[in-house]
Amino acid sequence: MDFKKEIQKLKKELDVAIVAHFYQKDEVFDMADITGDSLELAKRGMAAPQKNIIFCGVGFMGQSLKVLAPEKRVMMPKIACCAMAKMIDVQYFNENLKTLNDAGIKNEDILPITYINSSAEVKAEVGKMGGLVCTSSNAFKIITRGLESGKKIFFVPDRCLGQNFANQMKLKSAVVGIDDIEDVKEADIICFNGFCSVHQLFTTDDIDFYREKYPDILIAVHPECDPAIVDKADFSGSTSQLIKYITEEISPDQKVAVGTEYNMVNRLRPKNTYVLSSTKPECPTMNETVLEDLYNNLLSIKNGTFENEIIIPEETEKYAKIALNRMFEV
Ligand code: 13P
Ligand code: SF4
């Protein structure tokens, strides 16, 4: 079957918008009406006039859109779970808080901030405690605002993003369960011990390799990379910040090695762009979605079976929305 043709046909017939993250496979990405990073997709998905949204991405992204726009029917061709988001649940969140409480840090002195790469349940828990959500595009702004409360930031689940922003702001950070509890007590940003397995693939050896091979090359990485990589890089930014930097801010002749997901790097620009790794850094869960899944998901709208629809319990939705809306207010 020619899935591309059938998808185009169904799109014309149905009241649907297809939304795809930059890390999706090209075949899926090319079918989308709206593309972007996690923040853009949440905003533009909410504003889309269609009732049905097919979200090609990972679970937390579809969930975030459903929380923000409960009147829409949000479906996913594959409910693939981001490996980092899976590292934290409500129980782990509360166990970490207990470790902090046992060390003498009271809940009223803690402001939790969750990276958008977390489940709706974790976002709800953060919302109940007065906390908020951030994405890699706005983390600097959100953490800066959070620190104005005079509280310690408990940043979940990505320890690297927490550490990188602490380094950038010349603040102290420590990771619960890894660093000495005395360091945790002194830290401004206390991080949960989660990480992205894809962005962990980039090493300082990879940077050395490219700099030796092409002395004038620039290194651009996502802040989910380890702090040692971010420190050594020329530029660090979220998905859309990386795109802007590489396609608009540097000259087309400038060589650049990029430390982020393969599908995105591959379609950045035709020449002078290198993947900063000897291993292909593909996000396994983002890559689960293929054209056939998208076709089947569309067909289920036509048939009225609405496969893989995102449903969020009312209480979870209420508090996750509070945490997400606090991000938009900032
Ligand atoms: P962005 O917020 O940059 O889209 O990142 C999402 C993500 O999962 C990166 O690995
Ligand atoms: Fe999650 Fe990493 Fe994949 Fe992003 S690249 S969706 S953080 S596993």
Side-chain angles (χ1 to χ4, degrees), residues 86-97 154 192:
K86 234 181 168 164
M87 288 181 186
I88 188 166
D89 60 14
V90 173
Q91 191 185 333
Y92 281 137
F93 178 83
N94 286 323
E95 280 172 11
N96 267 234
L97 274 182
F154 176 38
F192 181 85

Side-chain angles (χ1 to χ4, degrees), residues 113 134 139-144 147 153-155 158-175 179 183 186-191 223 225 227 230-231 236:
I113 297 182
C134 78
F140 190 87
K141 219 178 189 174
I142 301 278
I143 299 174
T144 307
L147 286 163
I153 304 294
F154 176 38
F155 192 81
D158 188 10
R159 65 158 193 250
C160 294
L161 195 56
Q163 289 169 322
N164 283 323
F165 282 96
N167 290 349
Q168 204 178 333
M169 295 184 219
K170 309 237 175 307
L171 295 168
K172 279 190 188 158
S173 67
V175 182
D179 291 317
D183 292 328
E186 278 183 22
D188 309 290
I189 301 180
I190 301 170
C191 307
C225 293
V230 172
D231 285 351
S236 152

Side-chain angles (χ1 to χ4, degrees), residues 42-298:
K43 281 193 198 158
R44 294 180 58 204
M46 263 196 294
Q50 293 86 351
K51 157 83 180 160
N52 299 296
I53 306 282
I54 292 196
F55 205 121
C56 306
V58 284
F60 74 84
M61 296 179 178
Q63 277 192 335
S64 297
L65 180 57
K66 179 67 189 173
V67 166
L68 290 164
E71 71 287 358
K72 291 198 184 293
R73 182 183 290 113
V74 181
M75 298 161 63
M76 298 189 76
K78 274 267 164 71
I79 302 191
C81 189
C82 156
M84 181 205 288
K86 234 181 168 164
M87 288 181 186
I88 188 166
D89 60 14
V90 173
Q91 191 185 333
Y92 281 137
F93 178 83
N94 286 323
E95 280 172 11
N96 267 234
L97 274 182
K98 186 168 180 317
T99 304
L100 301 184
N101 296 156
D102 291 347
I105 310 171
K106 296 190 194 108
N107 276 3
E108 52 266 38
D109 297 324
I110 299 170
L111 179 72
I113 297 182
T114 181
Y115 190 26
I116 197 162
N117 297 38
S118 58
S119 67
E121 287 74 15
V122 168
K123 289 187 181 79
E125 215 56 20
V126 166
K128 279 183 204 161
M129 272 186 74
L132 65 171
V133 176
C134 78
T135 73
S136 50
S137 319
N138 61 22
F140 190 87
K141 219 178 189 174
I142 301 278
I143 299 174
T144 307
R145 181 63 69 87
L147 286 163
E148 285 169 11
S149 66
K151 298 183 183 188
K152 285 183 180 293
I153 304 294
F154 176 38
F155 192 81
V156 306
D158 188 10
R159 65 158 193 250
C160 294
L161 195 56
Q163 289 169 322
N164 283 323
F165 282 96
N167 290 349
Q168 204 178 333
M169 295 184 219
K170 309 237 175 307
L171 295 168
K172 279 190 188 158
S173 67
V175 182
V176 184
I178 298 283
D179 291 317
D180 192 274
I181 196 70
E182 290 307 315
D183 292 328
V184 172
K185 279 160 77 172
E186 278 183 22
D188 309 290
I189 301 180
I190 301 170
C191 307
F192 181 85
N193 186 21
F195 54 87
C196 165
S197 44
V198 181
H199 288 88
Q200 290 298 303
L201 290 173
F202 308 106
T203 64
T204 51
D205 284 348
D206 294 326
I207 299 183
D208 293 341
F209 168 82
Y210 274 111
R211 287 206 170 130
E212 215 166 281
K213 193 163 178 195
Y214 307 112
D216 64 338
I217 200 164
L218 292 174
I219 310 290
V221 301
H222 193 282
E224 284 174 14
C225 293
D226 195 82
I229 311 303
V230 172
D231 285 351
K232 239 181 154 174
D234 300 290
F235 179 85
S236 152
S238 69
T239 302
S240 27
Q241 288 159 355
L242 282 169
I243 294 174
K244 188 162 183 283
Y245 175 71
I246 295 160
T247 59
E248 292 175 27
E249 292 173 16
I250 60 176
S251 118
D253 301 330
Q254 172 66 57
K255 287 186 174 53
V256 62
V258 192
T260 194
E261 212 277 340
Y262 177 80
N263 286 317
M264 187 193 116
V265 180
N266 197 35
R267 72 171 82 89
L268 264 175
R269 56 180 191 167
K271 272 162 76 185
N272 295 323
T273 309
Y274 302 83
V275 178
L276 181 67
S277 177
S278 48
T279 317
K280 201 174 176 187
E282 275 180 319
C283 173
T285 42
M286 283 282 188
N287 275 271
E288 277 182 33
T289 306
V290 295
L291 272 185
E292 188 171 355
D293 301 317
L294 179 53
Y295 167 74
N296 286 333
N297 216 207
L298 279 163

Side-chain angles (χ1 to χ4, degrees), residues 16-32:
V16 65
I18 298 175
V19 169
H21 189 270
F22 285 124
Y23 293 181
Q24 288 288 298
K25 281 185 188 300
D26 286 346
E27 61 181 36
V28 173
F29 191 81
D30 291 345
M31 292 289 109

